[in-house]
Amino acid sequence: MVPLGDDGGVYDLDGNLTVQTIDVITPVLNDPYLWGAVATANSLSDIYAMGGRPLTALAFLGFDPCNMKREDIREVLRGAVDKLKEAKVTLIGGHTMDDREPKFGLAVFGVCERPVTLDGARPGQILVLTKPVGTGAVVKGVKEGMLKEEDIREVIDNMTVLNDRASRLMLEVEATACTDVTGFGLLGHAWNVCRRSQVGMKIFFSKVPVYKEALNLIR
């Protein structure tokens, strides 16, 4: 049984475990192509965090047709399709709707042999991060005009990197718990793992990889 609040839902289809998720975000970058790519990598990460392999996806785009240019819509979808091709995931459809605030994301379907969930952490294990933290602060800095996208190439590159390899390695070393660190930050998601697994966790700030741009903005 997969606990409520995990990164994806697991369904046993005649002995074959399937995993599904949906994730939609507002523009995190000014470049529409990069927004589409980042949103896609973000949606796929929920499947990877469960130890799953994504197979198909449905796209969702909410936008104001009076304010969003047609070429920008094309770029968002092009960024998404390119990232899906990289992940070997088939886009099989989607949906659009009028929305005053732009939103884009994907519903993703995949399979898994052994779901890795929030409630599997055990005393004595170590916490491993696949990417630095601080993305939220950096994105906010770009939106507020305090940073330019050309100044944060490392951050953008990491935001578009798929977690497929990390997911495979996680299964190889038989990790027992995993979650996708996004909107609640490292502490929020760590708390979710601790609460579900009934364990405590010590995090040493000096050992946490953090984007220097994020620290500067927070200060």
Side-chain angles (χ1 to χ4, degrees), residues 21-206:
T21 187
I22 182 170
D23 211 326
V24 178
I25 61 174
T26 56
V28 291
L29 298 166
N30 296 321
D31 185 318
Y33 176 87
L34 290 175
W35 173 33
V38 169
T40 302
N42 181 61
S43 297
L44 294 172
S45 281
D46 284 337
I47 300 293
Y48 293 134
M50 297 291 294
R53 178 168 61 93
L55 299 175
T56 62
L58 295 167
F60 171 81
L61 177 64
F63 65 98
D64 184 343
C66 295
N67 291 321
M68 192 167 183
K69 298 178 181 177
R70 185 173 297 181
E71 50 267 35
D72 287 341
I73 295 174
R74 288 199 189 98
E75 284 300 290
V76 172
L77 296 175
R78 187 170 70 87
V81 168
D82 284 351
K83 191 55 59 175
L84 288 173
K85 286 180 178 178
E86 180 186 341
K88 296 180 174 58
V89 174
T90 302
L91 182 65
I92 58 174
H95 187 72
T96 61
M97 68 175 293
D98 287 357
D99 200 328
R100 295 176 65 181
E101 184 178 26
K103 298 176 181 68
F104 181 73
L106 298 156
V108 188
F109 171 86
V111 294
C112 66
E113 294 183 4
R114 174 180 68 87
V116 185
T117 58
L118 291 169
D119 62 348
R122 301 289 179 263
Q125 293 180 323
I126 61 171
L127 174 66
V128 177
L129 295 174
T130 64
K131 299 178 182 181
V133 298
T135 304
V138 174
V139 167
K140 180 67 172 175
V142 172
K143 288 185 176 181
E144 295 295 327
M146 302 169 71
L147 287 173
K148 296 181 179 179
E149 289 181 7
E150 53 265 33
D151 299 328
I152 57 166
R153 288 311 316 177
E154 179 191 5
V155 181
I156 294 175
D157 289 344
N158 280 333
M159 289 170 72
T160 58
V161 168
L162 297 174
N163 276 318
D164 54 345
R165 184 167 179 265
S167 182
R168 292 195 301 270
L169 291 173
M170 171 181 72
L171 295 175
E172 287 180 15
V173 300
E174 299 182 348
T176 59
C178 182
T179 192
D180 185 26
V181 179
T182 50
F184 299 119
L186 174 58
L187 292 182
H189 288 282
W191 165 244
N192 284 339
V193 173
C194 291
R195 184 163 53 95
R196 296 288 178 163
S197 298
Q198 295 295 295
V199 297
M201 189 181 296
K202 291 183 179 180
I203 298 177
F204 299 91
F205 181 76
S206 61

